[in-house]
Amino acid sequence: MVDNTTRIKYRPATELVYIDNSDGKGPKDSYNAASMPIYQTATFKQSSSTQMGEYDYSRSGNPTRSHVENHLAKIMSAKRAFAVNSGMTALDVITRLVKAGEEIIAGNDLYGGTNRLLSFLATHNNVKTHHIDTTNSETIIPYLSEKTRLVLLETPTNPLMKIADIPRIAEIVHEQCPNALVVVDNTMMSPYLQRPLELGADIVYHSGTKYLSGHHDLMAGVVAVKDDAIGDKIYFTINATGVGLGPFDCWLLMRGVKTLAVRMDRQQANAIKIADFLQSHKFKVHYPGLKTHPQFELHAKMSSGPGAVLSFETGDVELSEKLVELTRLWGISVSFGCVNSLISMPCRMSHASIPAEVRAARAMPEDLIRLCVGIEDVDDLLEDLYNALTVSGALKLAN
């Protein structure tokens, strides 16, 4: 006999689809709609002038937003999750936890927008960031102090696909700086493949624009926490600044999350074949799904798959530019995570805001090409890529 009052935890692909309201949390729909209604309203009428109901103003809360936030908290193993209007908004909200004079420790291979925000905090808010090689957990130790407030990790990093040991870094930080918080940008993996809160992180965030949405028809960000007190501070900032995600976008985000597993499975399978193809032609490929990746085993311990983003080097900037422009199926675009395959040169596009001398100091190759693999037939993607490699001369150069 099944006890219907007991919360059953299913496998990740099932949890993405299954909506469980048996715990009494979340908004109730009196008509039991299969899809949560879109409460496209700014305000909610009250039955009393002195006693407010659960919702009064959509900046502070909305049933559609509550629905997706409860679901996100479940799939991210979080106490609370919050939906905001972009991934960078998510990071901005998190950095509001840092006071002037305090410090952040971050990796030296970061998304360009993250680097831009951290630079702004240094020049305007007196918040210093130490950039370190997060692939070596011990390198963090000299930078930890009573001033440390956040340790910000990307794993895999964007675009060089480096791996940070989340459990070990979290252990070091919590032992030496109990007031510091370990924050992980998990956008590259999604909750389907990796759940940093289960690995020791305190806060995890996503650009919901990427894999959670999956179709690049939505701008969204997600913040998830495992501590109620931190959650209260995050909510205060979201409410005070009015950056909560709108009802229709919440509905789109919820719809995207339900198909995350089938999309990611296909995209990842395609990416593995493309990485193998490029490596077989002697290109230097950055992808944690390859056994030649220096942290292949570490990544496999933390995640259930390598994801669908990879990068490779041609050895020549002009050749890379030509190659990118010769593809047909691969759209030239920033971002990743949608069903269509994308190609870009990070140093010219997503990471162009990082000064050239800083990119050089961080050993980011100017010729680097990033591939964000979609759900197309992999043979078509390979043929298109092979044609561009051949016509551009990159294939001949690599061999």
Side-chain angles (χ1 to χ4, degrees):
M1 183 174 180
V2 177
D3 181 0
N4 290 324
T5 64
T6 302
R7 168 76 171 93
I8 300 173
K9 188 171 184 178
Y10 298 101
R11 294 171 181 81
T14 303
E15 291 286 8
L16 289 170
V17 178
Y18 178 59
I19 310 299
D20 182 14
N21 291 320
S22 61
D23 57 5
K25 294 181 180 179
K28 296 293 183 290
D29 170 39
S30 59
Y31 295 102
N32 294 317
S35 176
M36 181 64 181
I38 303 169
Y39 285 84
Q40 193 67 44
T41 181
T43 60
F44 298 82
K45 294 178 180 179
Q46 307 298 314
S47 57
S48 167
S49 62
T50 58
Q51 299 294 322
M52 294 293 102
E54 183 178 359
Y55 301 98
D56 60 355
Y57 194 51
S58 279
R59 172 168 54 79
S60 302
N62 180 285
T64 314
R65 189 189 308 154
S66 296
H67 182 68
V68 72
E69 287 178 341
N70 288 334
H71 189 61
L72 288 165
K74 181 191 73 168
I75 66 173
M76 297 170 77
S77 300
K79 277 284 188 69
R80 298 174 70 181
F82 307 90
V84 295
N85 54 31
S86 76
M88 286 311 304
T89 299
L91 180 58
D92 180 56
V93 167
I94 294 167
T95 59
R96 303 294 182 102
L97 297 170
V98 187
K99 299 176 182 177
E102 294 182 328
E103 297 180 349
I104 298 171
I105 300 174
N108 58 8
D109 180 31
L110 291 171
Y111 166 55
T114 300
N115 191 83
R116 181 167 50 231
L117 178 58
L118 295 177
S119 298
F120 178 88
L121 293 175
T123 56
H124 291 73
N125 292 18
N126 189 29
V127 174
K128 183 177 182 179
T129 296
H130 300 282
H131 292 280
I132 66 168
D133 177 9
T134 53
T135 63
N136 181 353
S137 303
E138 310 305 314
T139 60
I140 196 173
I141 295 175
Y143 298 96
L144 291 170
S145 73
E146 60 182 15
K147 293 183 178 180
T148 306
R149 180 56 173 154
L150 299 181
V151 174
L152 178 60
L153 305 174
E154 284 185 16
T155 183
T157 61
N158 179 12
L160 291 176
M161 310 303 291
K162 298 178 181 179
I163 308 301
D165 189 337
I166 299 173
R168 177 56 183 152
I169 291 176
E171 180 184 31
I172 293 172
V173 172
H174 293 149
E175 181 180 294
Q176 299 198 19
C177 296
N179 294 324
L181 300 170
V182 177
V183 181
V184 178
D185 178 350
N186 196 44
T187 303
M188 191 80 76
M189 286 287 96
S190 86
Y192 178 54
L193 297 179
Q194 181 172 268
R195 290 169 292 282
L197 294 181
E198 297 177 0
L199 301 172
D202 301 293
I203 302 175
V204 62
Y205 73 99
H206 289 260
S207 169
T209 311
K210 313 298 193 297
Y211 288 112
L212 293 178
S213 165
H215 296 80
H216 281 186
D217 53 7
L218 165 70
M219 294 289 293
V222 176
V223 182
V225 302
K226 63 181 181 183
D227 179 79
D228 284 326
I230 296 298
D232 289 342
K233 293 179 180 180
I234 294 292
Y235 172 74
F236 177 87
T237 299
I238 292 171
N239 184 38
T241 56
V243 296
L245 193 62
F248 182 67
D249 286 342
C250 285
W251 184 84
L252 282 176
L253 180 59
M254 186 69 191
R255 185 179 66 165
V257 167
K258 291 180 178 180
T259 63
L260 172 59
V262 291
R263 287 186 283 106
M264 182 62 88
D265 284 344
R266 175 61 174 261
Q267 289 172 272
Q268 181 173 259
N270 284 353
I272 291 170
K273 291 182 179 180
I274 289 167
D276 287 339
F277 163 78
L278 288 169
Q279 189 173 66
S280 72
H281 286 287
K282 313 304 182 186
F283 289 101
K284 184 175 182 180
V285 183
H286 305 272
Y287 184 58
L290 293 171
K291 291 185 178 180
T292 53
H293 189 286
Q295 295 149 309
F296 172 82
E297 292 184 1
L298 172 61
H299 181 77
K301 288 180 181 178
M302 299 189 297
S303 307
S304 57
V309 178
L310 60 105
S311 59
F312 69 101
E313 302 171 37
T314 67
D316 184 276
V317 174
E318 291 185 5
L319 192 151
S320 291
E321 292 175 353
K322 185 186 299 184
L323 190 160
V324 167
E325 294 174 0
L326 281 168
T327 59
R328 294 172 61 88
L329 292 176
W330 301 81
I332 304 175
S333 177
V334 297
S335 197
F336 57 88
C338 77
V339 292
N340 305 94
S341 293
L342 305 176
I343 190 170
S344 67
M345 291 186 65
C347 292
R348 297 290 187 271
M349 299 171 71
S350 57
H351 293 63
S353 61
I354 301 176
E357 63 274 14
V358 175
R359 295 199 301 266
R362 297 178 183 175
M364 185 181 296
E366 294 291 316
D367 64 302
L368 191 72
I369 294 175
R370 188 182 71 180
L371 299 179
C372 308
V373 186
I375 66 171
E376 301 93 341
D377 188 301
V378 70
D379 289 333
D380 287 327
L381 293 174
L382 286 169
E383 288 169 7
D384 187 42
L385 190 58
Y386 180 80
N387 179 71
L389 289 165
T390 303
V391 176
S392 67
L395 200 58
K396 182 178 179 180
L397 183 64
N399 294 329

